[in-house]
Structures are given as structure tokens and as C-alpha cells.
Amino acid sequence: MELTQQNPDIGAYLAVGEAVDHDHPLVRATAERLSATHSDAYAYAKAAYEFVRDAIPHSQDSGDPRVTWRASDVLGLGTGICYAKSTAYAALLRARAIPAALCYQRLAEEDGSHPVIHGLVAVLLPGEERWARQDVRGNAPPGVDAQFSVGEERLAWAVRPEAGEVDYPVLYAEPHPVVLRALRVAADRPHLWRILPTAL
């Protein structure tokens, strides 16, 4: 799908933000550790992807009630849902001057009921002309096999338009306001599950 930059200035996707706080010492230290053995941009982006996907459990899978929304908190506490994990991955990319954006899907049950917004990251690697979407949610659900890829997408789920699902094309520098609001007001993950956004 064709992705659309919300901001025509690529610098917006390298900037430090309230949620994508890649100036935080923990984010910087994690980026330095990963880049020590993965020096080129592609290898680093893949290593950072696998770290966030695999080493930071999705809080629904692990049963962790804590809600995180800043990248530094995701890395520090080692937990988060798709939105938070995406923010952490974006921060690790930006810490190494790789443009990273947040983007979203609208997913639903098989019959189209219970829609929910799902968070992704888009990366623009050096020499590439197109943003490539990545899904760091984690591969714990049976049948899910998301992988790092800059060619054919390897996301956790492909949308089904017939079920009302949507690939939103807009690339955001910071989490979408409705996503960020849900994360910030939730007392815990069960509360967050009741107020997850259903559309953008």
C-alpha cells in the first residue's frame, strides 16, 4: 500500500517527542548495545525489531497489568501493548538516525465485530525510496509470524476489507492522539482494553 507522510519534512520522523523519547539515557544505551554488533542500518533495524518483538512481551500475552506509553518506559519495564512497543522500536530507530513513523490498522473479529486499532512502525532505510511497515507486537498468538522485511510485508495480520478492516496510510511522528489518550488515561491493562480506540 502507498503510505503518506503526515509531515513532508523527513526530520519530523527523526525528532525526539514526548512518547518517542530517544534522547532518554535508557533508549540511547539500548541503541548503543544493539549497534555494537549490528553496525549497518539494515542489520541494526532488523536487530532492534527482533529485540522489541521478542524480548519485550506484549502485556496481554504475559498478563502484565502495567500500561506503558513512553519508549523509555517500555524498555525500562519490559512490557507494553502494540502501540507502546511500536513507540519503543521507533525510538530505537531514530536513535540511530533512521527515520521511523507510527502507523495503524483497524482489525476486527472474523465476523467484523469488535474492531480495534493496531499499531505498527514504518521505517525508511538508507537507499530505499519507500517506507516499509513492521509489526513488533510479538508472535505469541498461534499462527502469527511477523518478520522484519523491507520488501514484501510480513505483518502479523493482513486486513480484510470485507470485514471492515482498514490499512490507514498516514505516517505519524508521534502516536495518534486517540491512541496516546487511551494509553495515558488507562489505570491498568484491563481498563485499557475497555477503552481501546476502534477507529482513527
Side-chain angles (χ1 to χ4, degrees):
M1 67 171 294
E2 194 68 32
L3 297 170
T4 305
Q5 288 182 206
Q6 182 189 39
N7 192 322
D9 178 8
I10 197 69
Y13 303 101
L14 292 166
V16 172
E18 186 179 17
V20 188
D21 59 342
H22 62 83
D23 59 343
H24 190 281
L26 180 56
V27 179
R28 305 299 292 185
T30 305
E32 287 171 13
R33 187 177 78 250
L34 290 167
S35 62
T37 52
H38 303 88
S39 55
D40 74 89
Y42 180 94
Y44 173 79
K46 184 174 186 288
Y49 169 88
E50 292 174 349
F51 171 75
V52 175
R53 184 194 64 189
D54 300 338
I56 300 174
H58 189 287
S59 56
Q60 172 74 4
D61 299 341
S62 65
D64 195 322
R66 297 173 295 176
V67 176
T68 52
W69 60 273
R70 284 190 184 95
S72 56
D73 292 335
V74 176
L75 297 176
L77 296 175
T79 190
I81 69 165
C82 62
Y83 309 142
K85 292 183 65 170
S86 294
T87 300
Y89 182 44
L92 289 173
L93 291 169
R94 293 185 194 181
R96 284 294 170 264
I98 299 171
L102 300 165
C103 50
Y104 302 93
Q105 294 175 313
R106 182 178 189 259
L107 302 175
E109 299 292 341
E110 287 296 322
D111 62 359
S113 64
H114 302 99
V116 68
I117 298 302
H118 177 56
L120 306 171
V121 179
V123 57
L124 185 62
L125 288 171
E128 296 289 334
E129 296 180 357
R130 299 177 62 214
W131 292 85
R133 295 189 304 170
Q134 313 296 332
D135 192 335
V136 291
R137 183 233 179 266
N139 287 340
V144 174
D145 185 28
Q147 301 292 331
F148 180 82
S149 176
V150 295
E152 182 180 356
E153 288 189 335
R154 297 287 305 277
L155 305 179
W157 295 282
V159 303
R160 300 165 300 133
E162 68 277 8
E165 296 184 336
V166 179
D167 273 322
Y168 292 105
V170 179
L171 301 175
Y172 297 91
E174 281 281 296
H176 190 285
V178 302
V179 167
L180 188 56
R181 181 183 180 279
L183 291 172
R184 295 187 68 170
V185 305
D188 54 25
R189 186 178 42 78
H191 179 206
L192 177 59
W193 244 234
R194 295 194 297 270
I195 61 172
L196 284 175
T198 60
L200 297 182

